[in-house]
Amino acid sequence: MSVLFTPLKLRSLQIPNRVWLSPMCMYSAADRGPDTGTPNDFHLSHLASRAAGGAGLIMVESTAVRPDGRISPWDLGLWNDRQQEAFTRVTRAITGHGAVPGIQLAHAGRKGSLDLPWRSQRYVTEAEGGWRTVAPSAVPFGPLPAPHALTVAEIGRLVDDFAAAARRARAAGFQVVEVHGAHGYLINSFLSPLGNHRTDAYGGDAARRSRFALEVVAAVRAEWPADLPVLFRTSATDWAPGGWDAEDTVRLAAELRRHGVDLLDVSTGGMAPDAGITTAPGYQVPFAAQARAATGIPTAAVGLITEPAQAERILTAGHADAVFLGRELLRNPYWPHHAALTLGAEPRWPDQYCYTVRDR
C-alpha cells in the first residue's frame, strides 16, 4: 500500500492522506471597505477544488491576525466577525469533499504592505492604503522602508492577536491551525539574528530570540482544542552567513514540541534578500528529515515535490510524515487522484465524479 495515501493521525484528528495543499497567498481579498481581508468566491472555488482533487489537508493561505500584519492590502485576515463568518462557507466546502480544513495564522512584519506580486514588488505607502511595518528591530528588508521596532507592550498585544485569531479559526470550523514562523515574516525575523538586533528579553542568544515564537505558540495552543493539532511552519535555514541554520531549527523543534506543536512544516529562506539558494527537486527535504530524526517531531516536507514516486520515497525513507504541494497543485488540482492511480491506491473522487471517471 502507498504510504502517501494512508491516513495520518495528529491528536484525535485523522487526515485522510499525506498529500496536503501548501498555504499559498492569492492576493484576492478586498483591500478596503467592510469586506477587507474577507474570503470571497475566488477563495471558495480555489480551495474547494483542491479538496475535490483529493488533497487530505487544505491549508488556507497566510492569514493576517491584524490589518497591519498582511503581506499586501489584498491578503486574507481573521481579526473580525465578518471574516470569521465568511470562512465558515470555506470550511464547509472543504469538509464536504472529505478533506480537513486548516489555516495558517501570520503577521508579515517588515515584509508587509506590498503591491500585488504580478504588478510590482514595491511598498504600498500609507497614502495609498498601506501601513508602516513593524519588526523586532528597525532593520529593513532590502529596499523596503525601515520598520518600526516593536516595544515589549506591543509584542504582548501581538501574542494576544494570534490567540484571538485562533479562537476565530476554531469558531469558523477549522480543524488545524498553523503558526507561520518562516520566510522572513514577523516570527521568523525574531528568530533570526539577521533581523533581530534586540538586547532585551526578546533578543540576543537563540533562547531569547525564540521567546516570541514560543509565546505565540503557547497562546494559540491554549485557545485551540486539546484534541486538535497545532502546526508550525519554519524556515530551517536563512541560507546566509551569520543567520539561522539547521541546528537552530533542531533546537527550536524540540521546544515547539514541548509547547504542544504536533507537526513541523519545514521550508527555508526568505530572511535574506540576497541569499544564495541552489534549488533542485526535494532540496528542502533534508531539513525536515534532520528535525524529525533529532527530536521525534512529525514533519512535513515542501519544495519542488512534483512526482508521485518522489513524494512516496520521501515518506518511505522516513524523511517526513507528509508533503505539502504548492505550485504543483496550482497546475493540477487533481494531482492527488492521478498520484493515487500511479501508486496503486484508490483515488478519493467525489461521488458526483467517481461513477463515471472510475473506468478508463
Side-chain angles (χ1 to χ4, degrees), residues 16 49 74 128 194 223 243:
S49 64
W74 298 271
E128 298 171 307
L194 300 182
E223 293 292 343

Side-chain angles (χ1 to χ4, degrees), residues 12-36:
S12 71
L13 180 67
Q14 183 160 283
I15 303 172
N17 64 44
R18 300 165 189 242
V19 184
W20 299 350
L21 174 68
S22 195
M24 293 174 290
C25 288
M26 296 289 107
Y27 307 101
S28 295
D31 65 326
R32 63 196 68 197
D35 287 325
T36 298

Side-chain angles (χ1 to χ4, degrees), residues 188-197 204 209 238 242-245 248 271:
N188 191 196
S189 65
F190 268 89
L191 291 169
S192 173
L194 300 182
N196 186 343
H197 297 175
R209 284 186 279 108
D238 290 338
W244 185 266
D245 62 22
D248 292 320
M271 176 57 64

